[in-house]
């Protein structure tokens, strides 16, 4: 392989890594600020609703997803799917009175489809595990 091309690939990967880290730091800070703000709203209201708890759970899932990425350098596809399921559940809880039957069925069908996707992904991962790339090898595009 061309040494100049290999050096450029390494520099590009390093730059992308820096941007990923900055982006994840921004996501983490924004999530923490939003969580603190939501707790303040609950304290001011003097009550905690199920919608508040689901929103805090969404924030925790986002933080767990960022933490998982920092720990392993990889982001399992399941994490965003979990977040989507909780977001749909929150939408369903908040707007249940204003939803017509077809929209409610659509939201619940979406949740079921996402849950089935998680099951398929988990089954595929256990039945057909990934080959772990060795840590010592250089990047081969």
């Amino acid at each position: 392989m061309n040494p100049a091309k290999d050096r450029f690939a390494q520099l590009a990967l390093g730059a992308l890594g820096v941007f990923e880290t900055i982006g994840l730091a921004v996501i983490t800070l924004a999530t923490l600020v939003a969580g603190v703000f939501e707790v303040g709203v609950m304290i001011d209201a003097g009550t905690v609703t199920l919608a508040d708890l689901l929103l805090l759970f969404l924030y925790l899932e986002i933080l767990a997803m960022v933490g998982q990425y920092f720990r392993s350098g990889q982001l399992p596809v399941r994490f965003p799917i979990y977040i989507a399921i909780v977001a749909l559940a929150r939408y369903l809880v908040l707007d249940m009175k204003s939803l017509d039957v077809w929209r409610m069925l659509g939201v619940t069908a979406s949740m079921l489809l996402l849950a089935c996707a998680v099951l398929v992904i988990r089954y595929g991962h256990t039945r057909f595990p990934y080959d772990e790339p060795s840590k010592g090898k250089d990047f081969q595009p």
Side-chain angles (χ1 to χ4, degrees):
M1 185 174 215
N2 185 356
K5 186 177 178 182
D6 193 36
R7 180 171 161 79
F8 176 75
Q10 292 299 325
L11 286 173
L13 285 173
L16 286 174
V18 168
F19 286 123
E20 278 181 349
T21 303
I22 291 170
L24 288 170
V26 168
I27 290 169
T28 301
L29 287 174
T31 304
L32 289 173
V33 168
V36 168
F37 178 74
E38 182 62 26
V39 169
V41 168
M42 289 186 299
I43 290 171
D44 288 344
T47 185
V48 179
T49 64
L50 181 59
D52 295 329
L53 294 175
L54 288 173
L55 187 58
L56 288 175
F57 187 70
L58 280 171
Y59 294 149
L60 286 175
E61 284 292 323
I62 291 169
L63 291 174
M65 185 172 64
V66 171
Q68 176 69 22
Y69 183 81
F70 277 129
R71 274 190 298 281
S72 69
Q74 298 174 342
L75 181 64
V77 167
R78 295 185 324 265
F79 275 81
I81 295 175
Y82 295 147
I83 292 171
I85 292 170
V86 174
L88 286 170
R90 184 176 186 274
Y91 172 69
L92 198 60
V93 167
L94 290 177
D95 295 335
M96 186 175 285
K97 292 180 183 177
S98 65
L99 293 177
D100 62 1
V101 173
W102 288 108
R103 187 168 299 227
M104 194 178 302
L105 284 173
V107 171
T108 54
S110 299
M111 291 170 66
L112 180 63
L113 185 63
L114 288 169
C116 289
V118 169
L119 287 174
V120 168
I121 290 168
R122 288 295 298 150
Y123 175 76
H125 184 69
T126 56
R127 181 87 163 102
F128 308 105
Y130 301 119
D131 291 333
E132 292 294 325
S134 81
K135 301 283 183 187
K137 287 188 179 179
D138 289 331
F139 171 74
Q140 297 293 324

